[in-house]
Amino acid sequence: MEAAGLQRMKELVRILSEAGKAYYQESRELIGNYEYDRLYDELQRLEQETGVVLSGSPTRQVGYEALGELPKEAHELPMLSLDKTKDVGALQEWLGDQEAVLSWKLDGLTIVLTYEEGKLVKAVTRGNGEIGEVITNNARVFTNIPLQIGYQGQLILRGEAVIRYSDFNRINTEIEDVDAKYKNPRNLCSGSVRQLNNEVTAQRNVNFEAFLLVRADGVDFHNSRREQFEWLRGQGFDVVEYQMVNRESLPEAVSRFAEAIADYDIPSDGLVLLYDDIAYGDSLGRTAKFPRNSIAFKWADEIRETRLKEIEWSASRTGLINPVAIFEPVELEGTTVSRASVHNISIMEALKLGVGDVITVYKANMIIPQIAENLTRSGKIEIPKRCPVCAGETEIRQTNDVRLLYCTNPDCQAKKVKSFVLLASRDALNIDGLSEMTLEKFIAAGFIHTYADIFHLDRHRDAIVEMEGFGQKSYDNLIAAAKRASVTTLPRVIYGLGIAGIGLANARALCRHFGSDVDRMRHASKEELTEVDGIGEVLADAWIVWFGSERNNRLLDGLLAELTIEKEEMSQEAAIFAGMTFVVTGTVTHFANRKALQAEIEKRGGRAAGSVTSKTTYLINNDVTSHSSKNKKAKELGIPIISEEEFLQMTGGTGDAD
């Protein structure tokens, strides 16, 4: 083959592999879906033309190696990708004279469930198709997975773990810091399912939608996938929404799904067509990458041509400045769009964007506006050397293979506003009425420079009362809210500082570990920090960097001088669990939920952890004889397993029973 063709194939393998790794392992995006599909198709065409497949080609690789500390396990049957098309005619040709099940192709995380003797015994992620991560404890707290079913044989099925748009939007609404909001339901779901602490999973409302039965010995399904779907539904599983089709009815069915996607609450990136005749589908076998009994249909994106008017540079609390494309308005999927995130400088440079360029735009999964191609490719966009908010110097930093633009000015107003928004948010100081818009006005007017200034807004009473949208009543309410917020707890303060990765739960764990001693906390070494449950090396490094700044320490000291930090005083009797670590698992009956039981442990001086380790004092599980992984681990380590009743006997009371 020609050297140029081989070189292009090598380039495509590199680009696609890096993009796939970033997307699946690191929940970040190097290139858009449209561009990925275009490059993938180009590589596939070159391989077909030349008969050459390079080592590591994404057309032969299925997924990526599982990461993290979760146990790993090989799948009994490989989990392959699906071949795909965007042409309904090609779907009809593939289907021929067969009947098939047409269903949503859900955009979440694929999971394999195993049941034995009617009980859920194992849940494993897809991983790289050959080896996945064992997430059984997390699956047990999905909102809709049956823990026990009527069928007593071995059942193996596959499905998609998903977070609904309604839950995704609710979770994001509760996060007042714009920079901390989740980017899309798929990434949130992936992170939720692969948590080491299943308490976090339980809070995220993860759903499981079954889409394939792998094994159920002894059940006659009359050679029909449809009957398998309905049998699974009868066992208590939510089954992916589907419709039976043949060659003639297929186009109309695809149209109905397309019309429904705008209001569909579950993330989807296309459809799946699966032969109803099980034996026929199985007889077709598989390729190295694809099964031949099913095919994916990707939406033929509605693409519009428009002209790029400008690149808007959007600054954030972290100093990151993201490019946003502003273009002449176009109609896409029933709405008018005029802007699309370009995500980072690397993508902007790959598209060679320039003001006035003719570009094509589409909605990824028919929802999120994206740039498909730049037809002009002038590359005339200049990366700003000055921050658009504060005019401070900018610098380009390379994180892995992605070039990002940052503002270097520590006093940048964008950083200030976002930082104050976080400090005033519900889980931090909870200052009602101090919105982002109000903070922008106060900072611009010079009323607020440091955290402590929030509690001295009375110095600017006359000016605030005269501000547009304010008056005496609004001013009085704000001052009263600040006064209420001045009495708070240390974990709320620590969370409100905006240290990278330190959420409220981590803040609580740190405060407990260091006895709420701020000086000990700010001077803690990396070794001391990583002893705290939930704090790894990355979070420890972020903590040390934050407290290594003299300016940050001054900000905190000034803030603490304005606050009354409440400390729960515990009598000797109340602190009976001091120095003890409990893990709670399974269903609770005497408390409203596991969180209520964990709160009782912490109230009495103990620590509630998410996983069993050598430091665990007791595992609380009402099913003491359970074969769960936590029980097994506790027995291996010689850790006592106690019931709620036994725990309550230790407290001498009945706890916060419901």
Side-chain angles (χ1 to χ4, degrees):
M1 66 178 295
E2 294 182 5
L6 179 60
Q7 189 60 37
R8 177 58 177 164
M9 288 175 67
K10 288 181 178 179
E11 182 183 13
L12 289 170
V13 167
R14 178 184 60 78
I15 293 170
L16 292 169
S17 297
E18 289 173 355
K21 180 182 178 184
Y23 185 77
Y24 287 106
Q25 290 188 359
E26 300 163 8
S27 296
R28 58 192 181 91
E29 196 168 7
L30 294 183
I31 58 178
N33 292 340
Y34 185 92
E35 181 69 1
Y36 184 93
D37 287 346
R38 187 181 69 79
L39 297 177
Y40 184 97
D41 291 343
E42 181 186 351
L43 176 60
Q44 197 169 47
R45 178 177 54 76
L46 286 170
E47 289 177 344
Q48 290 169 350
E49 289 175 358
T50 63
V52 174
V53 178
L54 297 171
S55 173
S57 170
T59 67
R60 295 298 183 270
Q61 301 273 320
V62 183
Y64 294 87
E65 294 297 327
L67 298 177
E69 302 172 40
L70 293 166
K72 296 177 180 62
E73 182 172 301
H75 295 296
E76 185 175 335
L77 295 172
M79 299 185 66
L80 306 177
S81 299
L82 293 180
D83 201 358
K84 67 181 187 297
T85 181
K86 293 187 177 183
D87 179 26
V88 176
L91 273 189
Q92 288 179 292
E93 186 177 337
W94 180 90
L95 182 54
D97 60 1
Q98 292 287 320
E99 269 201 312
V101 177
L102 181 68
S103 66
W104 293 110
K105 183 176 181 293
L106 301 180
D107 191 19
L109 196 69
T110 301
I111 306 292
V112 184
L113 300 182
T114 301
Y115 287 78
E116 291 178 359
E117 297 180 351
K119 293 183 179 180
L120 174 66
V121 295
K122 187 165 57 181
V124 184
T125 67
R126 179 178 183 274
N128 69 351
E130 300 285 344
I131 298 173
E133 293 172 307
V134 180
I135 48 98
T136 312
N137 287 332
N138 293 346
R140 291 184 194 280
V141 298
F142 287 7
T143 59
N144 64 338
I145 281 186
L147 300 181
Q148 190 162 329
I149 60 175
Y151 176 67
Q152 295 298 297
Q154 186 186 58
L155 168 64
I156 302 176
L157 71 152
R158 296 175 183 173
E160 198 81 353
V162 292
I163 289 180
R164 295 174 179 269
Y165 282 115
S166 52
D167 286 317
F168 172 75
N169 293 331
R170 173 186 56 78
I171 291 168
N172 260 353
T173 300
E174 294 170 356
I175 301 172
E176 298 188 35
D177 178 12
V178 175
D179 295 323
K181 290 181 185 290
Y182 297 102
K183 300 297 183 268
N184 57 61
R186 184 197 175 279
N187 287 357
L188 174 60
C189 182
S190 177
S192 302
V193 169
R194 299 170 66 236
Q195 282 286 328
L196 297 178
N197 182 350
N198 67 358
E199 288 180 50
V200 177
T201 308
Q203 295 165 6
R204 303 280 174 78
N205 279 10
V206 179
N207 283 261
F208 177 83
E209 300 282 324
F211 62 66
L212 186 71
L213 190 152
V214 178
R215 173 182 297 165
D217 296 334
V219 182
D220 183 3
F221 296 111
H222 303 101
N223 195 37
S224 168
R225 291 291 183 187
R226 178 180 187 173
E227 292 215 14
Q228 287 185 337
F229 275 27
E230 292 308 312
W231 182 83
L232 284 171
R233 201 187 304 278
Q235 295 294 319
F237 294 96
D238 284 350
V239 176
V240 63
E241 184 183 330
Y242 72 90
Q243 183 176 338
M244 297 304 297
V245 295
N246 56 31
R247 184 187 182 101
E248 287 70 36
S249 64
L250 181 59
E252 184 183 350
V254 171
S255 295
R256 279 200 294 271
F257 275 102
E259 290 170 5
I261 193 170
D263 299 315
Y264 193 49
D265 199 26
I266 300 176
S268 166
D269 57 358
L271 303 173
V272 174
L273 194 61
L274 171 68
Y275 288 124
D276 182 54
D277 187 323
I278 299 172
Y280 174 75
D282 289 347
S283 72
L284 299 175
R286 48 172 278 190
T287 68
K289 184 176 174 65
F290 307 123
R292 290 196 172 103
N293 67 349
S294 53
I295 188 171
F297 175 77
K298 302 279 280 188
W299 303 113
D301 301 305
E302 184 179 358
I303 298 177
R304 291 285 181 269
E305 195 172 288
T306 184
R307 192 173 297 277
L308 184 66
K309 294 168 65 177
E310 64 173 306
I311 290 290
E312 179 183 281
W313 297 91
S314 176
S316 70
R317 173 177 62 84
T318 61
L320 180 63
I321 304 173
N322 285 322
V324 179
I326 311 298
F327 45 82
E328 293 175 359
V330 290
E331 289 287 321
L332 277 178
E333 313 292 353
T335 62
T336 302
V337 295
S338 60
R339 58 193 293 127
S341 174
V342 188
H343 302 295
N344 53 58
I345 291 176
S346 294
I347 292 178
M348 188 189 75
E349 291 176 334
L351 287 167
K352 294 188 177 178
L353 293 175
V355 172
D357 285 1
V358 176
I359 60 174
T360 57
V361 294
Y362 71 108
K363 282 188 177 179
N365 296 339
M366 302 174 77
I367 296 170
I368 304 167
Q370 300 277 300
I371 295 176
E373 290 184 271
N374 180 6
L375 304 180
T376 308
R377 300 181 71 81
S378 70
K380 291 180 180 177
I381 294 296
E382 288 190 17
I383 298 170
K385 293 184 170 55
R386 296 284 175 180
C387 172
V389 176
C390 70
E393 289 187 9
T394 62
E395 70 176 16
I396 296 173
R397 301 175 191 168
Q398 186 132 340
T399 303
N400 296 318
D401 299 314
V402 180
R403 281 158 51 84
L404 303 165
L405 185 67
Y406 281 88
C407 172
T408 60
N409 176 16
D411 296 315
C412 175
Q413 188 172 340
K415 294 181 184 178
K416 276 189 178 182
V417 171
K418 303 293 185 183
S419 296
F420 282 106
V421 167
L422 177 62
L423 185 68
S425 67
R426 187 182 313 165
D427 287 339
L429 297 188
N430 192 21
I431 306 175
D432 190 31
L434 201 57
S435 66
E436 182 167 353
M437 187 179 297
T438 299
L439 281 163
E440 284 178 355
K441 291 179 180 178
F442 288 180
I443 292 172
F447 302 161
I448 296 177
H449 298 281
T450 69
Y451 293 149
D453 292 337
I454 291 174
F455 301 96
H456 295 287
L457 292 172
D458 54 334
R459 297 169 180 168
H460 310 284
R461 176 198 167 280
D462 293 344
I464 293 173
V465 169
E466 294 300 320
M467 277 184 165
E468 184 179 352
F470 265 85
Q472 186 63 46
K473 186 175 181 181
S474 297
Y475 167 81
D476 290 341
N477 289 341
L478 181 57
I479 296 300
K483 186 173 182 180
R484 287 193 300 272
S486 68
V487 180
T488 188
T489 63
L490 189 59
R492 283 176 169 270
V493 176
I494 297 299
Y495 165 69
L497 299 177
I499 302 170
I502 304 296
L504 188 57
N506 286 333
R508 285 180 177 139
L510 285 158
C511 290
R512 281 198 303 270
H513 184 84
F514 291 102
S516 295
D517 186 328
V518 175
D519 281 335
R520 277 186 65 203
M521 293 167 74
R522 79 169 95 207
H523 294 117
S525 66
K526 187 171 182 176
E527 290 72 22
E528 290 173 310
L529 290 165
T530 53
E531 288 177 4
V532 181
D533 188 43
I535 304 297
E537 291 191 3
V538 173
L539 295 186
D541 286 340
W543 179 274
I544 290 168
V545 167
W546 198 93
F547 279 104
S549 163
E550 186 180 338
R551 177 180 175 276
N552 288 342
N553 281 284
R554 285 200 308 269
L555 277 172
L556 175 58
D557 289 338
L559 174 62
L560 290 173
E562 304 295 333
L563 301 176
T564 300
I565 303 296
E566 288 185 324
K567 203 168 186 178
E568 188 177 50
E569 295 296 334
M570 290 185 291
S571 65
Q572 197 62 34
E573 181 182 356
I576 55 173
F577 297 142
M580 297 185 186
T581 299
F582 292 79
V583 174
V584 182
T585 189
T587 304
V588 296
T589 56
H590 290 275
F591 291 82
N593 48 45
R594 288 199 299 271
K595 275 192 171 183
L597 174 50
Q598 289 164 344
E600 184 73 12
I601 292 167
E602 292 177 354
K603 187 173 81 175
R604 295 172 181 270
R607 188 169 74 90
S611 56
V612 177
T613 69
S614 58
K615 297 179 182 177
T616 305
T617 311
Y618 291 102
L619 171 64
I620 302 176
N621 188 349
N622 284 323
D623 187 357
V624 177
T625 60
S626 162
H627 296 294
S628 71
S629 60
K630 280 194 172 75
N631 274 30
K632 184 179 177 183
K633 185 74 172 178
K635 288 172 183 175
E636 288 174 358
L637 297 173
I639 293 163
I641 305 172
I642 62 174
S643 66
E644 266 182 284
E645 291 285 355
E646 292 171 295
F647 170 79
L648 290 171
Q649 289 171 13
M650 293 168 68
T651 68
T654 58
D656 296 327
D658 54 358

